[in-house]
Amino acid sequence: MSKKPASRSKLVAGVRRDRLEALAKREQSRFAQSRPKTHAALVAGADTYLDGVPLHWMKDWPMPFPMLVEEAKGAHITDLDGYGIDDFCLGDTGSMFGHSPAPVAKAIRKQARRGLTYMLPTEDALEAGRRLTERFGNFKWQIATTATDANRFAVRVARAVTGKPKILVFNGCYHGTIDDAMVELKDGKTITRPGLLGQVADLTQLATCVEFNDVAGVEAALKTGEIAAILTEPVMTNSCMVLPDAGFHDALRTLSRRYGALLIIDETHTISSGLGGYTRVHSLSPDMFVVGKCVAGGMPTSVWGMTPEVADRYIEANAKRKSGHSGMGTTLSANPMQFACLRANLSDVMTAKNYAHMENGARRLSEGLAKVIARHKAPWHVVRVGARVEFICAPGPLKNGSEAAHAHQPEVEAAVHTALLNRGCLIAPFHNMMLVSPATKKRQIDRLIAAFDEILTELFQDA
């Protein structure tokens, strides 16, 4: 009796599973064998940390153990084993303008001699405020340490001035770890995200979830009269990247005004869009504006602001409340080091010239990756927002968070990420995000494209 022919392996994002598993196994082994100093250092010293890392998401990198950084400068990292790596992760936007931009490093050295924190403003604070308005628009600013804090405080203000209990967020959204946004859609209904640790409150009492680009869904939620604010990124970024439909942001602005809700734009990731962020580039008009991570050149800093009209309403609401803690604060926020770095970054790093370099480099990267994908006939696509580029291991474009969740291919992404790192290119561990900084060189971009081509050649050979 003749044998039946072996069945073809199941495809994952268009890739044969056996081929994907072989690549992943080889690249994991290659990484581990090439970094003996890193491994030895982790064995000797990592057990003081919970699960061996200072922060849990450091385990989200796909390598068999974390890479230890010896030095980072510009768009380049050197690890403990002496490998030089082109950095396109850039701290997941925290170092979008490059590691230690010279004006920011100078400001840090100068301020370090004058004190690190003292709960009082400085002349740098005054200049930073002026620069923030110049860059982002006429907002009344407050300073926080993380975008999570900034979003939390903005939401609290929105509820205070509108008297309404809920915020509207989009399925698959990212606004840091603010509790209010930790909801999702299931069978058309808002539910608390099931993966939350230690969650006891019913977050559906705080938020309503709608699909991105669903104007009718937004209006239906607003019609309930419960929505204090729409909290949104201009582009969905912490899922596989989703662009707004034409007219979507105009609809958000119109509907929020019609139904008495505030519009909060969170630019923590979309600051890559250009000078002044997506809001300035595309002439959006939010009531409140949030940006974090890279705004101070890598120093932990976020800013949030409100229009003068909303500021007046906030001052009125604040004056009427009972004395006691407002629920907004954090003692180390608005420290002099943040202001020194904000002033330097806004003045000398976040410039039109640097953004032009970033835009040109990101265009080169996205076009190069797209050509590789087309040449190998991979069912993937590329999305770009200014200096931010992402290859997505599924056909596109994507329309909403549900489509983005289905497009996410963790097995493929992990294998490709490790293979890229072994070829000297680091991209973000979360999905397939890459950033081009003012320090990024054409040769680094071309090396990444060539490495991507080499990996896809193996994955899609004879496809």
Side-chain angles (χ1 to χ4, degrees):
M1 181 181 292
S2 62
K3 282 188 175 182
K4 291 183 180 179
S7 60
R8 185 178 177 84
S9 299
K10 182 180 178 181
L11 295 180
V12 184
V15 179
R16 280 175 40 184
R17 182 176 292 279
D18 60 340
R19 192 169 287 164
L20 176 63
E21 290 174 350
L23 174 74
K25 183 178 180 180
R26 187 191 70 230
E27 297 298 333
Q28 289 273 312
S29 177
R30 178 179 171 183
F31 176 89
Q33 291 178 16
S34 65
R35 286 172 168 81
K37 288 180 65 176
T38 297
H39 185 260
L42 289 168
V43 169
D47 64 347
T48 57
Y49 289 107
L50 176 65
D51 204 20
V53 288
L55 195 56
H56 68 89
W57 51 249
M58 290 180 178
K59 300 280 281 192
D60 289 347
W61 292 92
M63 301 86 79
F65 49 82
M67 183 174 65
L68 295 180
V69 176
E70 180 76 14
E71 183 182 29
K73 184 65 178 176
H76 189 265
I77 281 177
T78 303
D79 76 359
L80 189 63
D81 284 274
Y83 289 100
I85 299 154
D86 296 328
D87 186 9
F88 290 89
C89 174
L90 295 170
D92 190 29
T93 310
S95 292
M96 188 181 76
F97 297 110
H99 297 288
S100 298
V104 176
K106 180 180 178 181
I108 290 172
R109 289 192 297 271
K110 181 179 179 181
Q111 184 59 47
R113 294 192 294 267
R114 302 187 298 184
L116 302 179
T117 188
Y118 27 76
M119 287 186 67
L120 289 167
T122 60
E123 283 191 304
D124 281 341
L126 305 180
E127 180 61 16
R130 189 183 74 79
R131 292 286 183 175
L132 285 169
T133 297
E134 181 183 80
R135 283 284 177 266
F136 300 117
N138 186 22
F139 297 100
K140 301 299 182 183
W141 299 103
Q142 292 282 272
I143 308 300
T145 303
T146 71
T148 292
D149 286 340
N151 281 316
R152 184 181 294 118
F153 302 153
V155 166
R156 188 174 286 275
V157 169
R159 289 185 173 125
V161 303
T162 64
K164 299 178 181 181
K166 291 187 175 183
I167 59 168
L168 187 155
V169 295
F170 293 105
N171 193 33
C173 68
Y174 177 70
H175 301 290
T177 56
I178 176 174
D179 282 356
D180 312 64
M182 295 296 179
V183 292
E184 64 182 44
L185 275 182
K186 183 176 182 180
D187 300 326
K189 294 184 178 180
T190 302
I191 64 168
T192 299
R193 290 186 184 181
L196 296 177
L197 185 66
Q199 184 63 45
V200 294
D202 179 5
L203 298 181
T204 65
Q205 300 302 304
L206 305 178
T208 296
C209 193
V210 175
E211 290 286 10
F212 197 71
N213 285 321
D214 181 4
V215 174
V218 170
E219 184 164 20
L222 291 171
K223 278 183 176 179
T224 66
E226 297 179 316
I227 306 299
I230 300 170
L231 173 61
T232 184
E233 294 182 279
V235 175
M236 292 191 72
T237 64
N238 209 50
S239 53
C240 297
M241 203 150 60
V242 180
L243 301 177
D245 287 344
F248 179 63
H249 282 296
D250 288 341
L252 294 184
R253 179 68 282 180
T254 299
L255 291 171
S256 62
R257 285 175 172 160
R258 182 181 300 166
Y259 293 102
L262 300 185
L263 178 60
I264 307 172
I265 297 291
D266 178 1
E267 291 256 21
T268 297
H269 285 158
T270 55
I271 191 67
S272 65
S273 302
L275 193 64
Y278 196 100
T279 295
R280 265 286 170 92
V281 172
H282 295 274
S283 301
L284 306 187
S285 53
D287 297 298
M288 304 182 79
F289 179 90
V290 173
V291 63
K293 292 197 175 179
C294 65
V295 71
M299 174 62 63
T301 306
S302 65
V303 301
W304 58 288
M306 59 196 85
T307 63
E309 178 189 4
V310 174
D312 288 342
R313 294 169 67 186
Y314 165 63
I315 290 170
E316 181 181 355
N318 194 46
K320 291 178 180 177
R321 71 178 177 87
K322 293 181 180 180
S323 62
H325 204 295
S326 66
M328 302 187 295
T330 68
T331 306
L332 294 177
S333 294
N335 66 66
M337 187 63 80
Q338 288 177 310
F339 288 124
C341 294
L342 270 171
R343 179 177 184 174
N345 196 60
L346 293 166
S347 301
D348 300 322
V349 181
M350 192 183 286
T351 64
K353 180 179 178 181
N354 277 343
Y355 266 109
H357 174 92
M358 295 157 68
E359 180 93 10
N360 289 336
R363 185 182 300 111
R364 183 184 187 93
L365 176 58
S366 63
E367 290 176 354
L369 296 176
K371 287 178 181 177
V372 170
I373 288 170
R375 184 161 59 250
H376 293 287
K377 297 183 174 57
W380 301 3
H381 72 288
V382 177
V383 183
R384 181 173 72 87
V385 177
R388 185 185 184 97
V389 179
E390 187 174 320
F391 64 86
I392 297 173
C393 304
L398 306 174
K399 302 294 287 183
N400 55 47
S402 291
E403 290 188 8
H406 284 109
H408 182 36
Q409 298 289 343
E411 289 179 272
V412 179
E413 292 163 10
V416 173
H417 290 194
T418 306
L420 285 171
L421 180 55
N422 286 336
R423 288 156 180 79
C425 305
L426 182 71
I427 71 174
F430 314 113
H431 309 287
N432 307 303
M433 190 278 291
M434 297 152 282
L435 287 163
V436 173
S437 78
T440 305
K441 304 292 191 290
K442 286 182 180 179
R443 63 179 178 272
Q444 293 178 292
I445 293 168
D446 292 344
R447 279 197 294 263
L448 175 54
I449 295 168
F452 187 69
D453 190 16
E454 181 183 334
I455 295 162
L456 263 64
T457 297
E458 178 173 346
L459 291 177
F460 288 95
Q461 59 182 312
D462 305 321

